Amino acid sequence: MHLHPNLEKAYSRDTMSARQAQRLAEFIAFGPFVFQASRLMVSTGILSRLRDGEQTLDEIVATSGLSRYAVKVLLEASLSIGTVLIDPEKDTYSLSKVGWFLLNDPATRVNMDFVQDVNYEGFFRLEEALREGRPAGLEHFGDWPTIYEGLSSLPPQVQKSWFGFDHFYSDQSFREALEIVFSYHPRVLMDVGGNTGRWAERCVAYDPQVRVTIVDLPQQIGLMQRATAGKPGAERISGCPMNLLDPDARFPEDLHPDIIWMSQFLDCFSEEEIASILQRAALVMGPQTRLCIMETFWDRQRFEPAAFCLTMTSLYFTVMANGNSKMYHSDDLAALVAGAGMEVEAVHDGLGQGHSIMVCKLKA
């Protein structure tokens, strides 16, 4: 199994003392308590005020909008969680390093909103989703087979957090990704699963000659058309409605793409569905066509916290998104590429927030 050396060090040996292991076990047992208390320490502004300097309990109560009791239980929980420190001599509280990251790290803030607004209540049904192979938690929002059909109908705050999560990770990689993709000098680019068209907008801005066709669900094409309307280069962005889960649905054969782009897309499908999508993509490829798959492969992460976020995100796909997909190991996706009659030509790692681009071509 491929693992980044840092992940091999973290995942192949047990380095905790018994006391550390016991504490982590209790941390897991009280995980929902830890999350909600920490979220409220952020949303009520208590952590922000502690970032500005140490404060007494009375000073925190005066500016929090909460009762003395509420502030006390949150502060005491936060001491145990590790986001807050206390000076016993002065009876003042201050922000810890963990609290600083919780408050200031953009990825952590995006992840927290995503967990709270999109996932939290639905996750009670994780076991049901795992046993039945369907997104049982999605029923909290509506009666759709996957979250993608329901995106345009989700409550506004849920949409905001979902798109914030999705865009944060992809947008961080776009600049480097554009350089890699356009080193092949494409004139026709097929963006499969193009969502709201953010990548397409970047492409037409990067190269005034390129034309982009987004292939996605009809609902997503509608969102894309509204999002790109009136933007520079929008006349070179078109949509092709297609249910990619339909094994009989074919990619447009008259497009003759130079690049087929799949960004944070294949992780939305099971291995069987990915095999079907890749096989159909291969049918519209020529010898010079390149399939560029951009994913956050958990095994190729340089830092272990990134791998942690990705393996946890797999559970979102299980219970909320579709019930059968995940954040993939790069070996698994490479095997599916080979099964579709292609080979991996190159892998570019370390883009943005831990993305990789797997460049594939037809087997000779």
Side-chain angles (χ1 to χ4, degrees):
M1 172 188 282
H2 173 272
L3 285 175
H4 188 283
N6 290 346
L7 298 188
E8 184 175 353
K9 182 179 179 181
Y11 292 164
S12 62
R13 58 187 68 94
D14 196 340
T15 59
M16 284 188 181
S17 68
R19 187 66 67 197
Q20 289 171 326
Q22 182 186 36
R23 188 188 192 283
L24 181 56
E26 294 291 6
F27 203 87
I28 293 168
F30 281 94
F33 296 33
V34 170
F35 174 81
Q36 290 296 352
S38 300
R39 183 184 68 82
L40 286 169
M41 288 289 284
V42 173
S43 66
T44 59
I46 296 176
L47 287 188
S48 294
R49 285 185 284 278
L50 294 180
R51 177 182 55 191
D52 297 333
E54 59 185 36
Q55 294 194 353
T56 65
L57 173 62
D58 289 338
E59 288 171 332
I60 296 169
V61 171
T63 57
S64 68
L66 299 174
S67 70
R68 186 181 181 86
Y69 163 80
V71 171
K72 245 187 174 181
V73 295
L74 284 176
L75 282 172
E76 290 169 3
S78 297
L79 285 172
S80 296
I81 293 166
T83 55
V84 166
L85 300 172
I86 190 169
D87 184 330
E89 298 295 326
K90 297 189 293 184
D91 277 344
T92 56
Y93 296 88
S94 60
L95 196 66
S96 72
K97 291 177 184 176
V98 176
W100 189 93
F101 277 102
L102 193 65
L103 192 60
N104 294 290
D105 179 47
T108 302
R109 296 296 296 272
V110 164
N111 290 341
M112 181 167 274
D113 290 343
F114 180 66
V115 170
Q116 169 67 12
D117 296 329
V118 179
N119 294 280
Y120 198 85
E121 294 182 87
F123 251 72
F124 189 77
R125 300 177 69 178
L126 173 61
E127 182 176 358
E128 186 179 343
L130 286 166
R131 293 188 181 280
E132 298 180 7
R134 65 182 186 89
L138 183 58
E139 292 176 10
H140 173 69
F141 293 118
D143 185 22
W144 306 292
T146 73
I147 201 169
Y148 310 107
E149 287 92 341
L151 271 180
S152 60
S153 302
L154 291 174
Q157 182 59 39
V158 178
Q159 285 191 34
K160 180 181 178 183
S161 294
W162 191 94
F163 283 112
F165 180 83
D166 182 70
H167 292 162
F168 176 82
Y169 288 99
S170 61
D171 288 4
Q172 299 288 327
S173 308
F174 279 175
R175 182 184 59 80
E176 297 162 286
L178 285 166
E179 295 175 3
I180 293 169
V181 167
F182 282 88
S183 69
Y184 293 95
H185 308 291
R187 285 294 167 263
V188 179
L189 189 148
M190 184 167 71
D191 182 0
V192 182
N195 214 328
T196 57
R198 292 168 76 90
W199 167 254
E201 288 182 39
R202 296 289 292 271
C203 288
V204 296
Y206 189 90
D207 187 325
Q209 302 299 318
V210 73
R211 303 189 68 84
V212 181
T213 296
I214 294 176
V215 179
D216 212 327
L217 289 166
Q219 303 95 312
Q220 292 302 107
I221 295 297
L223 286 174
M224 177 275 293
Q225 290 170 336
R226 291 192 291 275
T228 59
K231 302 281 185 68
E235 71 280 359
R236 288 182 283 123
I237 301 174
S238 58
C240 176
M242 177 177 167
N243 180 4
L244 291 148
L245 285 174
D246 180 356
D248 295 321
R250 295 289 182 261
F251 290 106
E253 297 181 358
D254 58 348
L255 197 59
H256 307 297
D258 302 302
I259 294 287
I260 300 176
W261 174 252
M262 299 181 182
S263 173
Q264 292 185 183
F265 168 71
L266 292 179
D267 54 45
C268 300
F269 302 96
S270 69
E271 291 194 22
E272 293 77 12
E273 291 163 347
I274 292 172
S276 171
I277 290 168
L278 293 178
Q279 289 162 8
R280 285 176 280 151
L283 295 176
V284 298
M285 293 174 65
Q288 302 306 314
T289 307
R290 293 297 181 268
L291 167 63
C292 294
I293 300 169
M294 187 164 82
E295 286 289 347
T296 42
F297 298 113
W298 70 261
D299 63 293
R300 306 187 80 92
Q301 301 304 306
R302 180 182 176 189
F303 301 110
E304 195 280 332
F308 171 82
C309 292
L310 293 173
T311 55
M312 295 302 104
T313 300
S314 287
L315 297 175
Y316 146 75
F317 286 109
T318 302
V319 72
M320 298 301 296
N322 52 40
N324 59 14
S325 73
K326 63 191 294 289
M327 306 304 295
Y328 285 99
H329 189 290
S330 61
D331 288 353
D332 295 333
L333 202 52
L336 292 167
V337 166
M342 292 179 275
E343 59 186 353
V344 177
E345 182 177 57
V347 180
H348 303 270
D349 290 325
L351 284 71
Q353 291 281 332
H355 279 78
S356 300
I357 293 182
M358 184 178 283
V359 182
C360 311
K361 63 178 182 178
L362 291 176
K363 289 179 182 176

